[in-house]
Amino acid sequence: MENHERTGAASIPDGRPRGSAAPPPLLEVRGLTKSFFGIPVLEDAHLTLYRSQVHGLVGENGAGKSTLMKVLAGVYQPDSGRVLLDGEEVSFSHPTKAHEAGLSSVFQEFNLLPDRTVAENIYLGREPRRGVLVNKALMNAKTAELLESLGITAIRPTAQVRTLTVAEQQVVEIAKAVSYDARIVSMDEPTAALAGAEVELLYQIVSRLRERGTAILYVSHRLRELFDLCDVITVLKDGRVVSTGPASELDDTRLVRLMVGRPISAFFPDKLPRTDSGADVPAIPILQLEGAGNGQLDGISFNVQPGEIVGLAGLQGSGRTELLHAIFGAAPFTRGTMKVEGREVLPKSPREGVRARMALITEDRKAEGLSLNQSILNNALTVIRSVFPRRAGAARTEIPGVFSSLEVVARDLDQEVQYLSGGNQQKVVLAKWLAIRPRLVLLDEPTRGIDVGAKVAVYRLMRKLAAEGKAILMVSSELPEVIGMSDRILVMRDGRLAGELPAGTSEEAVLQLGTGARTAPGGGT
């Protein structure tokens, strides 16, 4: 991604632009406190936001970022503290009150109706009318004007939302927020589900909003975005503000240390020595594929050994996720051979994949990995109850130890998963699959949307599983993650394997292979 130059004015530590005629703040948060079930999640939080400013808000999952955003959005009411808008104290009893005051929020989970049009979603509940009838022509025209003002020409107001890409749906969410004549737009992980080229589109929108004088509160775990876009960065840790300052005076190392108390170099833990009894005997590959394919994949051949972490890289749409689904039986192979621990299997369903001692951690934990209104314990036992019901009792007694090793932060195992932070939700997904004691672990974007501290916990778990002799096949769009954690890297392109690269290879080499700019070492294509 390009390094976009920030256009905002220079700032002093509280976020105020420098200069003798510095403008008054648009938004001030003073001493905000919020607790849930007696546990404080925000303590004496403070923040200042100015017009045409992009203010980054960062911290580990559970640091209080989302809670602060939801207080400002009128979703939660603070226990104490003050919020001032244009110098006047405000209190929003409902999100509609925040909208009316010009403060809109774009949350990580989309809130769109797939069977309605873009225009109908943007103006849902406040459609322009001609008498008692909705004035669709006016609504479509206003939507087209709104999208054009954001520099968006490829999305039709009459398009059904279900036909849009994830990136386009994210644009619709932002357009909906702006349509309330927003002076402040809060964005929570707006690029979490976007590929590199799609992120550029979001950059353009942020630039347009800044030019209009809109202030943006920007939450992201992607450090490059923070430095590309933000004028000022505020760091939250354990519900408290630990730092606010110009982004230009920070770098990756200092920012990460402020967030988690350790340097970025500690992200990727060293490989651990094997602890399983099979470490000293000739290894049978846990996974062997030969000429495997289906409607989306062709000619897939490779092995994964016990104790090995194999990274699966490639561009969006290259077939990485489709490969994991085929191995697991969710979208089965229709040709070729597949062996698990030397035994020929070709799962025709996820249940057969589980019985072959495979686990698939999907990239969308909320839609595919969790029952949000169920307890942590019930989520952790879901798979084993379904496939191995006789082992559920033993697994139940083991679950507390699993959660302890994963460092899950929760009130107790009866707490509903929807109230956990993103990082802790991901750990619940991992615990659910660890309960079946898999031999092959398929990870699809295992750290997407979680903070650096939670990522390190996932990396440690991966090292531990490998040391126990399990095999791991990991899909990730973050090249530093692929390179930092993999023993070797397989690169996908157009549904085929483009080639293999060794551990410690460069990002450039992975991209060249993934785009077809060069052939694989050893003659691969």
Side-chain angles (χ1 to χ4, degrees):
M1 186 181 298
E2 300 173 21
N3 183 21
H4 294 252
E5 184 178 348
R6 292 186 296 271
T7 57
S11 304
I12 59 177
D14 69 353
R16 176 163 44 93
R18 297 183 190 274
S20 57
L26 176 59
L27 176 77
E28 290 182 89
V29 173
R30 299 179 182 175
L32 214 60
T33 298
K34 179 66 178 176
S35 297
F36 293 103
F37 308 107
I39 300 172
V41 292
L42 277 179
E43 295 186 78
D44 193 32
H46 53 274
L47 182 141
T48 307
L49 191 59
Y50 294 85
R51 290 170 182 80
S52 297
Q53 184 187 71
V54 182
H55 193 128
L57 186 62
V58 300
E60 295 185 86
N61 281 101
K65 307 183 303 295
S66 294
T67 301
L68 176 55
M69 282 189 64
K70 288 178 179 178
V71 168
L72 295 177
V75 177
Y76 297 151
Q77 308 306 310
D79 299 332
S80 62
R82 305 171 66 201
V83 177
L84 286 80
L85 190 61
D86 272 331
E88 297 290 330
E89 187 166 351
V90 293
S91 177
F92 304 130
S93 58
H94 191 273
T96 56
K97 299 297 183 182
H99 288 150
E100 290 168 2
L103 200 157
S104 294
S105 298
V106 180
F107 294 108
Q108 206 170 339
E109 299 80 24
F110 293 166
N111 190 27
L112 301 173
L113 300 177
D115 293 320
R116 296 203 183 187
T117 69
V118 170
E120 288 169 338
N121 270 278
I122 289 176
Y123 288 100
L124 184 66
R126 52 198 179 96
E127 299 87 346
R129 295 183 177 274
R130 182 188 293 118
V132 295
L133 300 176
V134 173
N135 189 339
K136 289 191 175 182
L138 178 58
M139 184 169 66
N140 290 336
K142 290 176 67 174
T143 301
E145 182 181 353
L146 175 63
L147 292 172
E148 185 179 353
S149 73
L150 295 173
I152 307 302
T153 58
I155 300 177
R156 294 179 295 108
T158 55
Q160 276 199 336
V161 163
R162 69 166 58 256
T163 67
L164 303 182
T165 66
V166 172
E168 288 170 336
Q169 290 183 41
Q170 182 72 81
V171 169
V172 174
E173 284 280 17
I174 294 171
K176 183 177 179 179
V178 174
S179 72
Y180 288 91
D181 294 325
R183 293 183 292 164
I184 300 170
V185 176
S186 298
M187 298 183 181
D188 189 3
E189 297 288 349
T191 64
L194 306 188
E198 296 169 329
V199 173
E200 292 290 338
L201 180 60
L202 183 91
Y203 276 37
Q204 295 172 24
I205 293 173
V206 169
S207 179
R208 287 288 185 109
L209 291 174
R210 173 188 267 147
E211 290 170 3
R212 291 167 51 163
T214 306
I216 298 170
L217 187 61
Y218 193 91
V219 176
S220 179
H221 292 124
R222 295 182 173 181
L223 302 187
R224 181 172 295 181
E225 287 175 19
L226 295 168
F227 292 115
D228 283 350
L229 295 175
C230 297
D231 305 297
V232 176
I233 297 176
T234 289
V235 180
L236 280 172
K237 184 173 177 60
D238 300 326
R240 291 181 173 275
V241 173
V242 297
S243 171
T244 292
S248 59
E249 296 179 5
L250 292 169
D251 58 21
D252 288 5
T253 301
R254 175 159 169 71
L255 184 56
V256 169
R257 193 178 285 278
L258 285 168
M259 291 165 63
V260 299
R262 54 181 170 269
I264 197 168
S265 59
F267 267 25
F268 305 113
D270 293 334
K271 191 171 181 176
L272 300 173
R274 288 278 295 277
T275 58
D276 62 307
S277 58
D280 300 321
V281 299
I284 298 174
I286 286 185
L287 175 68
Q288 294 174 274
L289 293 176
E290 188 66 41
N294 57 21
Q296 298 170 301
L297 304 165
D298 188 44
I300 305 294
S301 301
F302 67 89
N303 298 339
V304 185
Q305 300 290 336
E308 189 176 33
I309 299 175
V310 175
L312 201 57
L315 301 178
Q316 202 86 359
S318 62
R320 302 168 305 168
T321 293
E322 289 79 3
L323 178 54
L324 296 192
H325 286 184
I327 293 168
F328 192 62
F333 290 120
T334 55
R335 55 186 178 273
T337 61
M338 172 174 156
K339 294 180 180 180
V340 176
E341 295 188 290
R343 183 171 59 90
E344 192 163 327
V345 296
L346 207 62
K348 300 297 183 186
S349 69
R351 181 177 290 270
E352 290 186 18
V354 173
R355 290 194 177 279
R357 298 187 70 186
M358 293 189 286
L360 172 62
I361 288 82
T362 57
E363 62 177 318
D364 191 340
R365 60 179 175 266
K366 292 190 176 178
E368 300 173 345
L370 296 168
S371 298
L372 294 176
N373 61 347
Q374 293 288 314
S375 71
I376 295 171
L377 182 60
N378 282 337
N379 271 275
L381 294 173
T382 299
V383 178
I384 200 163
R385 281 172 171 166
S386 175
V387 184
F388 305 114
R390 292 183 179 179
R391 287 166 42 190
R396 186 185 183 101
T397 63
E398 296 169 2
I399 287 296
V402 173
F403 280 112
S404 177
S405 67
L406 289 173
E407 301 174 5
V408 176
V409 178
R411 187 181 73 248
D412 53 47
L413 294 184
D414 292 325
Q415 185 175 352
E416 289 184 17
V417 168
Q418 63 182 316
Y419 297 117
L420 300 181
S421 66
N424 285 304
Q425 287 179 350
Q426 184 70 334
K427 292 175 185 179
V428 174
V429 176
L430 291 166
K432 175 180 77 173
W433 288 105
L434 292 180
I436 70 167
R437 298 181 181 176
R439 293 290 291 150
L440 174 64
V441 181
L442 308 171
L443 298 172
D444 194 357
E445 305 286 2
T447 64
R448 171 166 286 173
I450 64 176
D451 67 82
V452 288
K455 285 182 180 182
V456 172
V458 172
Y459 299 150
R460 285 202 204 102
L461 174 65
M462 291 171 63
R463 292 293 191 213
K464 180 174 179 289
L465 294 175
E468 293 169 354
K470 296 175 175 60
I472 297 174
L473 186 60
M474 175 186 70
V475 168
S476 177
S477 298
E478 296 189 28
L479 289 183
E481 181 170 88
V482 173
I483 294 166
M485 287 300 299
S486 302
D487 297 307
R488 55 193 172 95
I489 300 167
L490 303 175
V491 184
M492 296 284 293
R493 187 173 73 247
D494 298 328
R496 301 179 66 93
L497 281 178
E500 180 179 317
L501 295 168
T505 194
S506 68
E507 292 188 29
E508 182 182 10
V510 177
L511 286 171
Q512 286 180 334
L513 202 52
T515 59
R518 74 179 181 94
T519 58
T525 58

